[in-house]
Amino acid sequence: MTVRPLHFNAFIWPNGYHESAWRVVGDDVRGVLGLDYYAGIARIAERGLMDAIFLADNIAIAEYRVTHLPQTQFDPVSVLSALAAVTTRIGLIGTGSTTYSKPWELARRFATLDHLSGGRAGWNIVTTVTPLAAGNFGERVHLEHDERYTRAHEFVEVAQRAWDSWADDAVVGDRARGVWAERSRLRAPRFHGRFYDVEGVLPFPRSPQGRPVLVQAGQSAAGLALAARYAELIFSGPASLAAAVAFRTDLRARVAAAGRDPEQVAVLPALMVTLGGTEAEARARARRLEELASPEFRWQNALYTAGFDPDAFDPDAPFPRSLWDEPAPSSRAGKLLEAARARPDAPLRDILKDLTGGAGQLHFVGTPEQLADHIVAWQDAGGADGFTIMGSTLPYELSAFTDHVVPLLQRRGRYRTEYRGHTLRDHLGLPRPRNNIL
Ligand SMILES: Cc1cc2nc3c(=O)[nH]c(=O)nc-3n(C[C@H](O)[C@H](O)[C@H](O)COP(=O)(O)O)c2cc1C
């Protein structure tokens, strides 16, 4: 059996992905607000030859979060642009909202990152779950789930036209003729759709990758349809190996049905990891994190990540019946509504205990050998092409992954021993997209 090399994406979060991480790491609590923190993590991930680092985006925070977690939600493209200067190979994936951006403007920002990084940019396409974003952007309403996704299709179409608005050979730099670029090799989008109107070309030539790598993490039917049509890298949050296999199998079928090659799409489930030199040590580290976890945070976070405003709910009362028949703001909210209907008199706090917050990922606790075995088993079962690694604490877990898990995977012939190319597309084995227009 020939196995494809694994791919890894490092999820960067302040002090680590576990909610208690900031309470156990010894660093200055304000360190996560400085470039050094991000640069340190990016360098560790690059030392581990990982495909990319990933930055999430939350464009509205519910205020409960400031009590429980470090709040460092900078603009991802700004942070990644700074990281482009202190790394040379690793991919730089940032999240951007189709609901609260304009397509030309977003296409420009990610293409800027692609130029400045020499072809390492990726865009995680989200439609934004939290209704609180509307208020920050001067919108009266937060669009409903399926409408957000309908717009997202058109948004990505237009962004692609913007990225393709210069032919690859447009810049000629002909000093003798006095022609920097051939005007005839431009093709303005002149797009007039249901939701967007975009006229002109981007204000700079096509970027090194042609288009940044498209990434997607939605789990609903509408989210999967968007992924199947456009995404080249997919994050998921499966709760078990069986769920991961079912998800990846279904997604690959949808990709093929959309007329694309499933081999050109990598599925990297999110996995929170806590590592230790021995299993007992790893378990003790994880136990300490769990002991510090706050039940208050858990119910608030489960509501927020499902797309509700936690301040609007009483945790000791049942889930309001008035919301039962409202459209669910996300796939996770759909699960919450189902649970609430099944136990109409139970306090919300109890119902939410069974629902995970965050990305819905599993928490792996063990030694590097055990993690390497877990990764290989998931790959062999067809559940993953690699993983989005979320260190429960950072940088500790990422260093341990790079120094102790990566060599095991290399020895087993599952992982690269050097970067072969320079762009994120090179790392992922993806072709450079042809310019559709010119
Ligand atoms: C690994 C991972 C990372 C995610 N990052 C973000 C993010 O940065 N911002 C965001 O708004 N949603 C993020 N999400 C949520 C999804 O993009 C998506 O919005 C959510 O699952 C709701 O869409 P759905 O109803 O299609 O599932 C992430 C999900 C996963 C699994």
Side-chain angles (χ1 to χ4, degrees):
M1 182 174 75
T2 55
V3 285
R4 289 165 59 195
L6 288 157
H7 299 285
F8 292 109
N9 178 39
F11 195 108
I12 303 188
W13 199 251
N15 297 133
Y17 197 73
H18 196 283
E19 70 207 63
S20 312
W22 71 277
R23 296 177 67 188
V24 304
V25 300
D27 312 359
D28 179 337
V29 287
R30 297 183 64 84
V32 290
L33 294 163
L35 179 58
D36 282 354
Y37 174 74
Y38 299 91
I41 289 176
R43 288 194 183 108
I44 294 167
E46 190 166 65
R47 190 155 55 74
L49 305 173
M50 295 176 85
D51 295 70
I53 52 175
F54 168 77
L55 287 182
D57 199 15
N58 291 290
I59 48 178
I61 58 163
E63 291 186 8
Y64 79 90
R65 293 174 79 79
V66 313
T67 309
H68 306 286
L69 294 176
Q71 293 305 312
T72 60
Q73 188 57 77
F74 301 133
D75 168 47
V77 177
S78 303
V79 177
L80 294 171
S81 298
L83 295 181
V86 298
T87 54
T88 56
R89 295 293 189 91
I90 195 155
L92 306 166
I93 301 175
T95 300
S97 171
T98 51
T99 306
Y100 293 99
S101 319
K102 299 274 188 184
W104 191 93
E105 172 266 334
L106 182 139
R108 178 190 186 213
R109 284 196 295 126
F110 279 89
T112 300
L113 179 63
D114 205 43
H115 272 293
L116 296 186
S117 64
R120 295 188 279 141
W123 168 32
N124 176 37
I125 308 166
V126 298
T127 62
T128 301
V129 170
T130 179
L132 299 171
N136 293 353
F137 285 79
E139 301 290 346
R140 278 189 306 113
V141 291
H142 179 60
L143 295 175
E144 278 174 17
H145 184 268
D146 286 3
E147 175 154 20
R148 295 201 305 272
Y149 276 107
T150 304
R151 282 178 187 245
H153 280 260
E154 192 174 302
F155 190 112
V156 179
E157 280 298 325
V158 201
Q160 292 187 331
R161 288 186 195 221
W163 287 326
D164 289 350
S165 61
W166 291 57
D168 284 314
D169 60 2
V171 178
V172 290
D174 189 334
R175 292 192 166 95
R177 279 198 300 137
V179 174
W180 189 77
E182 296 287 0
R183 185 172 172 183
S184 62
R185 303 299 289 150
L186 302 182
R187 188 70 50 87
R190 309 242 182 274
F191 181 90
H192 301 286
R194 263 179 77 197
F195 309 107
Y196 301 106
D197 294 289
V198 172
E199 279 291 327
V201 299
L202 280 189
F204 48 74
R206 198 160 190 247
S207 73
Q209 293 188 107
R211 300 177 198 157
V213 172
L214 296 180
V215 182
Q216 220 272 335
Q219 316 289 306
S220 61
L224 291 173
L226 186 72
R229 177 78 190 81
Y230 299 107
E232 300 167 291
L233 192 64
I234 289 165
F235 302 152
S236 58
S240 65
L241 174 55
V245 173
F247 177 85
R248 184 168 171 276
T249 307
D250 172 52
L251 189 95
R252 287 169 64 89
R254 287 171 191 256
V255 167
R260 300 171 60 217
D261 178 3
E263 297 299 309
Q264 302 289 325
V265 178
V267 179
L268 308 186
L271 183 65
M272 176 153 72
V273 300
T274 299
L275 293 169
T278 61
E279 194 178 322
E281 187 193 319
R283 292 209 174 281
R285 289 174 57 79
R287 203 175 318 117
R288 172 113 179 88
L289 290 167
E290 280 301 306
E291 279 163 6
L292 291 170
S294 149
E296 285 303 294
F297 172 79
R298 288 269 158 106
W299 72 258
Q300 291 173 317
N301 198 47
L303 283 172
Y304 172 72
T305 53
F308 294 106
D309 176 2
D311 286 349
F313 292 82
D314 173 359
D316 297 312
F319 187 83
R321 283 175 190 244
S322 56
L323 294 177
W324 279 12
D325 299 319
E326 293 287 308
S330 67
S331 52
R332 193 168 302 151
K335 288 192 190 124
L336 166 56
L337 291 173
E338 218 172 275
R341 281 193 216 103
R343 297 166 64 194
D345 300 320
L348 181 54
R349 200 187 279 284
D350 291 351
I351 292 174
L352 290 170
K353 262 189 207 135
D354 304 331
L355 292 175
T356 55
Q361 74 295 324
L362 286 175
H363 186 177
F364 176 90
V365 181
T367 63
E369 291 75 14
Q370 289 170 327
L371 180 53
D373 287 345
H374 176 95
I375 289 168
V376 167
W378 276 50
Q379 184 187 29
D380 288 349
D385 299 296
F387 285 87
T388 294
I389 300 291
M390 301 166 140
S392 61
T393 75
L394 287 173
Y396 179 86
E397 256 71 27
L398 197 61
S399 294
F401 183 85
T402 290
D403 294 332
H404 302 295
V405 181
V406 162
L408 295 173
L409 295 171
Q410 287 171 327
R411 231 170 284 148
R412 292 167 80 159
R414 300 286 179 136
Y415 192 48
R416 64 172 69 92
T417 52
E418 60 183 353
Y419 285 116
R420 297 261 160 72
H422 286 267
T423 69
L424 177 54
R425 288 186 179 282
D426 291 339
H427 306 335
L428 292 167
L430 294 172
R432 186 175 185 278
R434 276 193 21 243
N435 190 322
N436 267 348
I437 298 175
L438 294 157

